[in-house]
Every structure is written in C-alpha cells, then in structure tokens.
Amino acid sequence: MPATIVLGAQWGDEGKAKVVDYLTRDADIVARFQGGANAGHTVQVGDTQFIFHLIPSGIMHPGKSCVVGNGVVLDPEAAITEIEDLAAKGISVEGRLFISQNAHVVMPYHKLFDRLGEERQGTDKLGTTGRGIGPAYRDKVERTWGIRVMDLLDEPLLQTRVAAVVEEKNRVLTRLYDHAPLDAADIIRGAVEYGQRLRMYVTDTSQLLNDALSAGKNILLEGAQGTLLDIDHGTYPFVTSSNTTAGGACTGAGIGPTRIDAVIGVTKAYTTRVGNGPFPTELTGTTGERIRELGHEYGATTGRPRRCGWFDAVIVRLAARVNGLTSLALTRLDVLDTVEKLKVCIAYRRGGDVLEEFPGDPQVLGECRPVYEEWDGWCTSTRDVRRYADLPPQARDYVERLSALSRTPVQMISVGPERDATIIMD
Ligand code: IMP
C-alpha cells in the first residue's frame, strides 16, 4: 500500500467509507485531505451504524491513527461532537487523532453565509449541505479573513483577529443581507474554548505523515465528495469548494505525488447525486424511485433524497483520467439484484455527434443525451456472495463491461453494507 488514495469517481456518496474501512486493516494511518463536515461517511459494524463527517472513518479500528489534514476545513463544533459521540460508544481518539495546525476553521459566520447565500440565489441555488464549506474556503483563498487551527490556540491573537473579522462580516451581513450583526465577543469566547478542547490533537500533520511513510508505515488517504464535485474538474459551478481529486490528496495532506502508490476510484454500480446540477443519466420516474428505495438513497449529512440514475461510464472515464486511477471499487451491486433490465451509458449524443469524453462546458453538457446499452439483470441475491466466480453470470458480465468502459480494472466489489459483504478480485 504505502500511500493509497481512496476517492469518489462520481458525485459523492459512492461508499468510500466502506472501502476505507475494509482497507484500514492493512493501514497504520487514515487521513482526510479536503472538504469538511459536508461529508457523511457511513460505516456499518454489526448492527451499529457510524456516520463520520470530519474524523476519518478509520478511527473505528483500535490502534490506528487518524489525521485531519491541512486541506480540510474544520468545524470545531462538529469535531468535538464527533469525538464525544465516539467516546459515548466506547471509542477513544486520544493519542491517535491528529489535526493539522494549518487547516482552516469553519466559523459560525461561514455557516450563516452559506445559508444566506443559498437563500439569495433562490431557484438558482447550488443545493449546498449548509455546513459553511464555500464561505470557509473563500476566506482561505481570499487570505485576509481566514482563521487557521493554529490560531485557535492563541487567545490574544483570537481577541484581535476574530474581532476584526466579525466587524467586516457584520458590514456585509447588515448591508447586503439585512441581517442582525453577530456578537464578536460570543464568537471569540467560542473560538477560545474550541482551541482549549482541541489543543491536544493539533500538530504538523504533513511532517507526521511523511515521517510515517519514511518509517515504512502504510497510509490511506480518504477522499470526501467525488470527482464530479471537484472545484476544477467537476460540473462547475455545481461542485464543492475543494479539490476532491488525487492532486488534492497531495496538497491537502502535504505528501508529494512521488509517494503515492495507488489511486482507488470508488463508484456505485449505478449513479446518484445530491444537490443541484447536471446529471445526464438521471431517472426521474418510477425506476429512479425504485433504485432510491432499494438503495436507501438519502443523504447521510442532510437526509435529502438522492437523485438516482443509470451507471454513466463517461463520468467514470473522466475520473480515471484526472485521478490516474489504478483500480475501481464497485459498490452497491446488490442494490440492482431485483432490477430486470439495466442500462449503462457508454457515451453522450449531441445533435449528430457522439461524445466519448465528458464535456467540460456546461452548455454542451446540457445538450447531451446519454447513449445506452441495455443489459439483462441477474434477478437473484448477491448479498451472500464472497467470491467473484460465485456471482451470477449476468452480474459478472455487467461488472466486466463497467470496467472495460471505465478503462480501469475492478479490484473490489461491495454487495452489502457489512464489512464482510465484500468480494476481492484476484
Ligand atoms: P457544499 O460542499 O456543502 O458546498 O455543497 C456543494 C455541492 O456538493 C452540493 O451539491 C452538495 O450536495 C454536494 N456535496 C457536498 N458534500 C457532499 C457529500 O459528501 N456527498 C455528496 N454530495 C455532497
């Protein structure tokens, strides 16, 4: 393994946490490198379901260390809640959770601006998770107003800096949004308290990760969201505000690309999306509803119903290209167990042209229609299958076709939420 990236090859919610959970057996450290509490990573252990928003899902494994990297925007309130929830379930993070001092902090006003900004956009809104992600990254890139985790540890600095930031934010709030001003003292008090609560976890995580690699340790880099939500390569502007792709893993963890050995793209056997934006293979009728119910396709963070559609090989080919995928982990094959006829989008048609590669221009994409191949379903349960050879022939044909169309070998197939409901390819 030494350093393996696991990331989403679609619009997020591909089942990355299950794949990370499985691979954590061979890892020493699991690290998040981008995004924030907008993620909802679900892991099923026995009858208990754990949903992680910020802390890497590897924390479930005793003795494994977890890192929240510099590329993450950290909501301290969400982090503390997660630490407390884990403690209540008997899982201690002490001595094995490390938070980057360089990570930017999601402040209360970021969440407020996320909500107000969306309200202002009306029907043109992005459909964000409301977790303050865009406003926090905006302040990071804008450079004047960003607060970093290291700042939370410096009370005198917080007193002056947060006061100045809140003054500026209040100008925008009152004049542009006609909203009551925020109380700077309240926000400073909260920030100081968060710093005290989180101090023990804060360190230089780039140093930690590189030292670990040099010592021969194995690291899993756990992506959040998915390739089509990447700020550069996704369906802009209907994307998140970070680089969800493999390059983002290097910058967001502080690891050079020469240290990465493998990039695993996680994809469902069909496609889903939450929030607004283009989705060429979306099924708006009863088949889409059926897949939603079969797959319990509701957001782990917001509870919103996910939009469902057929597998789109064009988007997974984009993911293979921009991430340099070395393999695919195919999840939720079992959700299709009772679907009699399956469709796979192999290309897009635009007027008289057939496009095999994903068009970056949203206007072109809007004019594209999927070109489908139809496949017979297997109509039998795959939930108990543990060896590839034991899958029904139609399911094997389907998997092999998806792999060929994606130009990437399948390394792992998931046939249920449980850890052992997994098929590893030879
Ligand atoms: P934001 O990241 O909250 O700003 O939301 C931007 C877009 O990314 C919206 O369409 C969200 O629904 C989507 N999004 C953000 N996080 C996730 C996720 O973890 N899974 C799926 N979609 C997400």
Side-chain angles (χ1 to χ4, degrees):
M1 132 160 359
T4 296
I5 302 172
V6 178
L7 51 76
Q10 298 170 312
W11 276 285
D13 308 316
E14 298 93 347
K16 295 176 289 293
K18 151 107 197 235
V19 175
V20 168
D21 183 61
Y22 191 88
L23 296 175
T24 299
R25 301 165 191 204
D26 298 323
D28 300 291
I29 305 177
V30 185
R32 279 272 310 265
F33 55 84
Q34 47 69 230
N38 49 349
H41 293 169
T42 310
V43 178
Q44 175 103 16
V45 184
D47 290 337
T48 315
Q49 201 180 58
F50 294 83
I51 300 179
F52 297 94
H53 299 289
L54 262 175
I55 296 178
S57 41
I59 205 81
M60 299 288 307
H61 293 250
K64 311 281 172 167
S65 297
C66 285
V67 165
V68 176
N70 55 275
V72 170
V73 283
L74 181 106
D75 177 346
E77 195 185 341
I80 290 165
T81 304
E82 228 161 281
I83 291 168
E84 285 173 350
D85 285 353
L86 281 164
K89 287 176 177 148
I91 299 168
S92 166
V93 302
E94 252 160 71
R96 57 194 195 98
L97 174 66
F98 303 94
I99 298 174
S100 170
Q101 58 190 7
N102 288 17
H104 276 248
V105 178
V106 177
M107 300 290 283
Y109 44 80
H110 290 135
K111 289 184 258 190
L112 179 60
F113 277 115
D114 196 354
R115 184 168 63 73
L116 294 175
E118 285 279 89
E119 278 170 17
R120 203 151 181 256
Q121 291 295 319
T123 50
D124 290 335
K125 67 180 180 182
L126 299 179
T128 71
T129 58
R131 299 298 189 269
I133 304 300
Y137 278 116
R138 184 165 63 212
D139 277 356
K140 171 180 177 174
V141 175
E142 204 272 345
R143 293 161 299 172
T144 313
W145 312 112
I147 306 283
R148 297 200 282 177
V149 167
M150 64 174 83
D151 300 332
L152 294 181
L153 311 185
D154 185 340
E155 187 173 341
L157 179 140
L158 280 179
Q159 295 286 355
T160 52
R161 194 160 162 71
V162 176
V165 179
V166 173
E167 195 183 321
E168 168 68 15
K169 299 293 175 193
N170 277 341
R171 264 198 287 274
V172 181
L173 266 181
T174 52
R175 292 183 197 174
L176 194 65
Y177 292 101
D178 210 13
H179 193 280
L182 299 173
D183 181 359
D186 231 25
I187 297 177
I188 295 167
R189 227 182 348 266
V192 170
E193 193 194 317
Y194 292 143
Q196 284 162 356
R197 301 277 301 270
L198 294 175
R199 178 180 292 276
M200 64 193 292
Y201 307 112
V202 179
T203 188
D204 180 341
T205 52
S206 164
Q207 188 73 55
L208 182 147
L209 290 169
N210 281 278
D211 286 351
L213 284 172
S214 300
K217 299 251 162 67
N218 292 330
I219 295 177
L220 265 184
L221 295 153
E222 178 180 21
Q225 294 83 51
T227 299
L228 276 293
L229 289 171
D230 182 276
I231 184 82
D232 285 281
H233 300 289
T235 45
Y236 189 90
F238 297 99
V239 293
T240 191
S241 301
S242 62
N243 283 114
T244 59
T245 41
C250 294
T251 48
I255 295 177
T258 48
R259 305 200 89 163
I260 307 294
D261 309 86
V263 186
I264 302 173
V266 186
T267 167
K268 282 178 182 161
Y270 47 96
T271 311
T272 62
R273 173 166 204 169
V274 240
N276 298 338
F279 181 176
T281 63
E282 181 170 14
L283 291 161
T284 48
T286 48
T287 310
E289 275 165 33
R290 190 167 163 215
I291 293 177
R292 182 178 308 120
E293 293 319 312
L294 287 169
H296 311 293
E297 293 291 357
Y298 294 88
T301 299
T302 57
R304 290 180 289 179
R306 295 180 184 141
R307 301 156 64 191
C308 297
W310 297 121
F311 185 87
D312 183 346
V314 182
I315 67 165
V316 181
R317 280 202 288 272
L318 170 80
R321 168 158 54 90
V322 299
N323 293 301
L325 295 184
T326 50
S327 67
L328 289 177
L330 187 66
T331 60
R332 300 196 157 224
L333 188 69
D334 57 299
V335 171
L336 301 179
D337 281 352
T338 57
V339 184
E340 300 81 8
K341 289 281 177 202
L342 301 166
K343 286 187 183 177
V344 175
C345 168
I346 58 170
Y348 298 154
R349 192 180 305 283
R350 180 178 176 240
D353 297 332
V354 173
L355 279 67
E356 296 224 332
E357 300 303 326
F358 192 80
D361 181 340
Q363 217 160 339
V364 175
L365 183 62
E367 293 161 12
C368 286
R369 299 289 166 267
V371 178
Y372 284 120
E373 253 177 24
E374 205 170 89
W375 288 77
D376 286 333
W378 40 96
C379 298
T380 176
S381 175
T382 57
R383 285 297 288 264
D384 296 324
V385 176
R386 298 293 177 265
R387 289 183 335 142
Y388 185 64
D390 296 336
L391 277 177
Q394 297 92 330
R396 288 203 305 265
D397 288 348
Y398 185 73
V399 170
E400 279 158 38
R401 187 65 182 141
L402 302 195
S403 173
L405 287 167
S406 310
R407 301 177 191 140
T408 313
V410 172
Q411 168 185 350
M412 181 191 283
I413 301 170
S414 170
V415 288
E418 307 81 18
R419 271 182 185 163
D420 73 327
T422 306
I423 299 169
I424 300 296
M425 309 292 267
D426 286 336

